[in-house]
Amino acid sequence: MSNKLAGIARIAKQDKDVRFTSLIHLLSKANLAICFKMLEKNAAPGIDEVTIKEYAQSLDTNLDDLVKRLKGKWYKPKPVRRVYIPKPGKKELRPLGIPAVEDKIVQMALKWVLQAIYEQDFLDCSHGFRPGKSCHSAIKELDMAIMKHPVNYVDEVDIHRFFDTVNHAKLLELLQLRIADPNILWLVRKFLEAGIMDAGTWQASDEGVPQGGIVSPILANIYLYYVLDVWFQTEFQAHTKGYTKLIRYCDDFVALCESKSDADRFLTGLEERLAKFNLQISQEKTRSIKFGRQVWKQAQKDGTKVATFDFLGFTHYCGKSRKGWFVMGHRTSKRSLNAKLKSNNNWLRSIRNMIPFKEIWPIIKAKLIGHYNYFGINGNIQCLGKYYRRMKLMIFKWINRRSQKKSMNWEQFNRYLDWNPLPMPRIYHAILY
């Protein structure tokens, strides 16, 4: 499979106008078996409640049947099972769609096919759900742009309910610019139209791509590549008066501009561009602020503060080095910190009497390391320390609520920490110039 995908990638890179006419053969039994092995073994089941382990018991037979249905176009994806998770720092919930195991296998194969083609097209400004890219590469690029280029304005943009409002017809139309295989287009359409099962009630999916689906991120990236990235590079930047840059992580993005006229024109032009694809800007969450080296220098003279902005869970601000030079700082946003602490507090409260203490400890360690691994950027050690201290207090609180009688005092708890230390805050990602 890897050799065939490499060949497709090579052709796609050499000819940006080529349309691939034969791709469905890549969804063979052997390749689907590889995709099955790549699925998360503990992933939640879909509406059929079939687990990875159960599907594997008759894997050979199941894949034979799946390939037969794909070839005969009898294959019909099951509706995704809708679940809700809290949004960071908000009271509302984020809807996620969980596909059935069989649909995850097909989506995984489809993802690799689309990725082989479109990774050759995607621009460097795109960082979300791509090989070799991450939220940290986006933040490093943001830091580099503001530290080394004349940025004076930052446009912070939010697309209103992006994943829920992607237009199916327009997405399929954009896919046809690179894909001429009707079987692949049919398969994508089937996934888009599979529907949603919410609390036992089926809902039609006339628009949008379900968050949680394996193929959804690549489809979202393809949509925004044409809608936003190409437009920014070929149309907006062609008429700018100074330095401009777009940095995007899936549907979360910022635009950096040297001049106010460009910053204002970007927001106006973006609103018009998105409207052509049935998308809207969230007016409440979109704004343009003064930000950058020269803005900071002027604020130092005037005795004022420079506005901050949030992007990818961090609050980005203008700071000063020990030698008095301008630096761009990044700290865990209050919303992200509070949301993570609230989530952990609810988890500790719910399991305090259900799991033995010795089994809780490794999970707590993993949660701490996971937080450090994401937010561990140089300059953010104080926020990591705050998270560690708050977690320590939280753990002590719920340890002593496992029964009516206190099970540990502070001295005993600290002695336990000496023998079973929690991971200390550390920096995992250094931004170097």
Side-chain angles (χ1 to χ4, degrees):
M1 184 178 184
S2 59
N3 290 335
K4 292 179 179 179
L5 291 175
I8 290 172
R10 185 168 56 253
I11 295 170
K13 187 174 183 178
Q14 291 171 351
D15 188 349
K16 298 294 185 181
D17 295 321
V18 70
R19 298 177 70 222
F20 292 87
T21 58
S22 180
L23 296 169
I24 196 66
H25 68 278
L26 291 168
L27 275 66
S28 64
K29 179 181 176 181
N31 290 342
L32 291 174
I34 294 171
C35 292
F36 174 77
K37 293 179 181 178
M38 299 172 72
L39 298 179
E40 293 183 19
K41 298 301 180 285
N42 297 322
I47 62 168
D48 58 1
E49 298 185 353
V50 175
T51 65
I52 297 284
K53 186 177 180 180
E54 290 169 342
Y55 195 88
Q57 291 174 358
S58 302
L59 182 61
D60 194 65
T61 303
N62 287 335
L63 292 181
D64 279 334
D65 180 60
L66 176 57
V67 170
K68 184 185 297 184
R69 283 181 283 129
L70 284 168
K71 286 183 177 179
K73 289 194 173 181
W74 306 329
Y75 172 73
K76 185 178 180 181
K78 295 178 177 62
V80 296
R81 180 168 66 88
R82 173 152 285 181
V83 296
Y84 296 89
I85 61 171
K87 285 188 177 181
K90 299 179 182 179
K91 292 183 179 180
E92 68 240 55
L93 300 174
R94 183 193 303 278
L96 292 181
I98 302 177
V101 171
E102 183 176 80
D103 298 333
K104 289 178 182 178
I105 297 170
V106 180
Q107 284 195 33
M108 181 68 77
L110 184 58
K111 169 195 165 184
W112 287 116
V113 172
L114 294 176
Q115 191 168 277
I117 298 169
Y118 286 97
E119 271 301 313
Q120 319 315 313
D121 294 347
F122 289 156
L123 303 179
D124 289 340
C125 65
S126 172
H127 295 262
F129 307 103
R130 294 184 57 196
K133 297 272 193 175
S134 66
C135 60
H136 300 110
S137 67
I139 292 169
K140 287 178 182 180
E141 186 172 357
L142 172 67
D143 188 281
M144 188 77 69
I146 290 177
M147 289 297 295
K148 291 185 174 290
H149 296 278
V151 174
N152 296 313
Y153 294 87
V154 173
D155 288 344
E156 187 182 1
V157 184
D158 182 85
I159 300 178
H160 180 64
R161 297 177 62 240
F162 168 73
F163 276 92
D164 296 331
T165 55
V166 170
N167 185 276
H168 291 175
K170 291 185 181 296
L171 173 57
L172 289 166
E173 183 181 325
L174 294 173
L175 285 170
Q176 290 179 58
L177 296 174
R178 273 300 218 172
I179 298 173
D181 186 337
N183 298 299
I184 292 293
L185 296 171
W186 165 80
L187 192 55
V188 171
R189 186 171 62 252
K190 282 292 182 182
F191 279 120
L192 294 174
E193 297 173 351
I196 299 162
M197 191 66 73
D198 192 348
T201 303
W202 182 82
Q203 298 177 6
S205 49
D206 300 323
E207 60 181 5
V209 290
Q211 295 188 65
I214 293 174
V215 78
S216 295
I218 182 81
L219 292 177
N221 268 336
I222 292 169
Y223 202 65
L224 286 175
Y225 163 71
Y226 288 109
V227 173
L228 178 61
D229 302 352
V230 172
W231 168 79
F232 185 88
Q233 185 183 72
T234 60
E235 296 186 36
F236 175 75
Q237 284 190 319
H239 302 93
T240 54
K241 295 182 179 179
Y243 175 81
T244 57
K245 189 173 187 62
L246 176 72
I247 300 172
R248 180 174 69 81
Y249 187 93
C250 202
D251 64 323
D252 197 357
F253 61 94
V254 292
L256 315 179
C257 299
E258 181 178 357
S259 70
K260 186 178 189 306
S261 60
D262 284 339
D264 293 341
R265 190 169 62 84
F266 171 75
L267 292 179
T268 302
L270 177 64
E271 195 165 4
E272 295 174 357
R273 176 67 176 176
L274 293 180
K276 295 179 181 179
F277 294 87
N278 294 3
L279 298 173
Q280 294 181 347
I281 288 177
S282 173
Q283 298 295 341
E284 297 177 354
K285 302 175 184 177
T286 299
R287 61 177 183 147
S288 182
I289 65 167
K290 288 185 176 182
F291 194 94
R293 186 185 300 273
Q294 296 305 318
V295 176
W296 174 78
K297 286 182 178 180
Q298 187 61 47
Q300 292 291 99
K301 293 178 182 179
D302 299 340
T304 57
K305 291 184 177 181
V306 180
T308 64
F309 67 96
D310 288 356
F311 181 55
L312 299 179
F314 290 85
T315 294
H316 307 279
Y317 61 94
C318 293
K320 180 169 63 174
S321 71
R322 293 179 181 178
K323 295 184 179 180
W325 300 337
F326 167 76
V327 293
M328 183 179 180
H330 320 274
R331 61 173 179 260
T332 310
S333 70
K334 290 182 179 179
R335 188 172 70 179
S336 297
L337 180 62
N338 291 336
K340 184 63 72 69
L341 289 170
K342 182 179 179 180
S343 174
N344 288 340
N345 185 66
N346 291 337
W347 172 74
L348 282 166
R349 179 174 57 188
S350 65
I351 55 89
R352 69 186 189 275
N353 293 320
M354 298 174 61
I355 304 177
F357 186 59
K358 63 180 180 180
E359 294 182 18
I360 297 176
W361 209 247
I363 303 175
I364 292 173
K365 288 183 176 181
K367 286 180 176 291
L368 283 165
I369 292 173
H371 184 86
Y372 302 155
N373 191 40
Y374 186 89
F375 291 102
I377 289 182
N378 52 308
N380 195 36
I381 194 68
Q382 288 187 351
C383 286
L384 298 184
K386 183 177 181 180
Y387 178 77
Y388 170 82
R389 292 188 295 273
R390 293 278 295 275
M391 279 294 293
K392 186 177 172 181
L393 288 170
M394 201 180 296
I395 295 164
F396 178 74
K397 167 187 172 182
W398 290 113
I399 284 174
N400 287 309
R401 294 196 180 183
R402 290 167 65 88
S403 64
Q404 291 183 348
K405 183 179 179 181
K406 283 190 175 183
S407 54
M408 276 191 186
N409 56 35
W410 264 111
E411 182 180 351
Q412 293 169 326
F413 182 59
N414 285 324
R415 194 180 307 130
Y416 185 86
L417 286 176
D418 290 338
W419 286 97
N420 300 277
L422 292 171
M424 297 298 293
R426 57 166 289 194
I427 301 301
Y428 282 82
H429 309 278
I431 298 176
L432 304 174
Y433 304 109

